[in-house]
Amino acid sequence: MANKEEKADEKKSTWKDVIYNPRTGEFIGRTASSWALIFLFYLVFYGFLAGMFTLTMWVMLQTLDDYTPKYRDRVANPGLVIRPKDMEITFNRSIPQQYNTYGTHLESFLKRYDDSVQDGNELCPEDMYFEQDDVQEKKVCRFKRSLLRQCSGLADSTFGYSEGQPCILVKMNRVIGLRPRGQPHINCIAKREIPLQMQYFPSEGKLDKSYFPYYGKKAQPEYVQPVVAVKLLLAEEDYNSELIIECKVEGSDLLNNDDRDKFLGRVTFRVKVFK
């Protein structure tokens, strides 16, 4: 019996010694000095790694410009987008609840184009770039929503949707330093045999050069890109059928026919209006 109790005590003592051995002063197999050396090693090692990472980030940040991205080769040509954002615009002109959302979206988008807001910006000469490379404080050319006339929402808060002749706003994405050559303008067509009548505001869908180049959000926080409003003059035979509309930026060196990117210099959307 005594031998069995001694063996049990030895096993119990051995299990405890794995955690802490009072005879050698080891904790989990290592003395205090050994643990201190390991802690010091990893402290120096990870401190060195953190220092190298910090130095690398600091050197990289010194190569960046606060106003202009370092690499811009992937966005040399702008894409086109529309407002309202929906690529499938469907509504019944007799039911306001179906088109009120579109009007609200357009009104919200055009707030920055309000005449009262734009009066604080520069009245720039037309058909020439507004160059400000050597100017520290960049100015912004004014673009008043009243230029959009029937599609401005000032006289008709429904933007033509209540009469079944909706307005679509087309704009180019911003690209820093872009200077389009020629006379850029927006041209839209309906993909069908019979042409669809449309009105453009400003006239001829013009994208005036005075709004280029763009110097970035930090340099020009109040900048608004030019917008072209396209009013679809739907006839009776155009209602209750889906129309596919394609808009392109033309008259310049900007790309608009890249099969790999359907939004590069162009945009396609669908419109269906019920009576």
Side-chain angles (χ1 to χ4, degrees):
M1 288 294 292
N3 291 336
K4 291 182 180 179
E5 290 179 0
E6 289 176 359
K7 290 181 180 179
D9 290 340
E10 288 178 1
K11 291 181 181 180
K12 188 174 182 181
S13 177
T14 302
W15 179 83
K16 288 182 178 180
D17 289 345
V18 173
I19 306 300
Y20 176 71
N21 191 328
R23 296 186 299 274
T24 61
E26 294 178 346
F27 176 71
I28 313 181
R30 290 185 179 275
T31 62
S33 59
S34 178
W35 280 115
L37 290 174
I38 291 176
F39 176 78
L40 180 61
F41 169 79
Y42 282 107
L43 180 65
V44 173
F45 177 70
Y46 286 113
F48 174 76
L49 291 181
M52 285 292 294
F53 175 78
T54 303
L55 178 62
T56 302
M57 292 297 295
W58 181 83
V59 171
M60 184 190 70
L61 290 174
Q62 302 313 301
T63 66
L64 301 181
D65 191 323
D66 289 340
Y67 296 93
T68 306
K70 187 174 180 64
Y71 299 106
R72 293 177 289 159
D73 57 317
R74 296 188 62 186
V75 287
N77 287 273
L80 288 187
V81 294
I82 64 169
R83 296 291 184 273
K85 288 184 177 181
D86 293 348
M87 304 307 289
E88 295 187 7
I89 299 174
T90 304
F91 65 95
N92 190 315
R93 65 178 183 176
S94 303
I95 305 177
Q97 292 81 0
Q98 292 189 9
Y99 59 75
N100 281 342
T101 303
Y102 298 130
T104 301
H105 181 85
L106 291 174
E107 178 63 31
S108 175
F109 172 75
L110 289 174
K111 278 296 182 184
R112 297 191 64 193
Y113 294 84
D114 282 345
D115 289 12
S116 59
V117 176
Q118 291 299 311
D119 280 336
N121 294 331
E122 293 291 308
L123 181 59
C124 302
E126 296 184 0
D127 298 323
M128 58 185 299
Y129 300 128
F130 188 29
E131 300 283 1
Q132 304 179 79
D133 292 343
D134 300 327
V135 180
Q136 183 66 29
E137 185 177 349
K138 314 295 185 187
K139 297 181 179 180
V140 175
C141 292
R142 69 177 61 164
F143 189 103
K144 295 184 176 182
R145 67 186 291 181
S146 56
L147 293 173
L148 304 180
R149 298 174 58 190
Q150 299 177 39
C151 291
S152 66
L154 299 175
D156 178 13
S157 60
T158 68
F159 295 87
Y161 285 77
S162 61
E163 59 183 9
Q165 296 187 339
C167 291
I168 310 296
L169 305 184
V170 184
K171 68 184 184 75
M172 289 196 306
N173 291 329
R174 303 178 184 184
V175 176
I176 295 177
L178 178 68
R179 293 172 176 83
R181 299 176 182 175
Q183 298 295 327
H185 62 274
I186 299 296
N187 183 53
C188 301
I189 61 170
K191 291 190 173 182
R192 64 179 190 180
E193 294 183 0
I194 303 174
L196 177 66
Q197 295 297 313
M198 306 180 194
Q199 278 186 304
Y200 297 90
F201 309 101
S203 61
E204 301 180 351
K206 183 179 181 181
L207 296 168
D208 196 84
K209 288 184 178 180
S210 61
Y211 300 100
F212 304 96
Y214 171 56
Y215 289 94
K217 189 173 183 179
K218 187 171 183 178
Q220 293 179 303
E222 302 303 321
Y223 176 87
V224 292
Q225 58 263 60
V227 176
V228 171
V230 183
K231 188 174 182 64
L232 307 181
L233 303 178
L234 303 183
E236 286 297 318
E237 60 270 18
D238 297 323
Y239 294 117
N240 304 322
S241 60
E242 185 177 74
L243 300 173
I244 301 177
I245 311 295
E246 183 180 57
C247 296
K248 292 183 177 182
V249 55
E250 298 182 345
S252 72
D253 59 340
L254 300 177
L255 299 179
N256 61 11
N257 57 359
D258 191 336
D259 294 334
R260 297 171 299 177
D261 190 344
K262 62 181 180 180
F263 291 103
L264 189 64
R266 61 180 174 173
V267 63
T268 302
F269 56 95
R270 301 172 185 268
V271 176
K272 188 173 185 180
V273 180
F274 297 94
K275 290 200 270 185

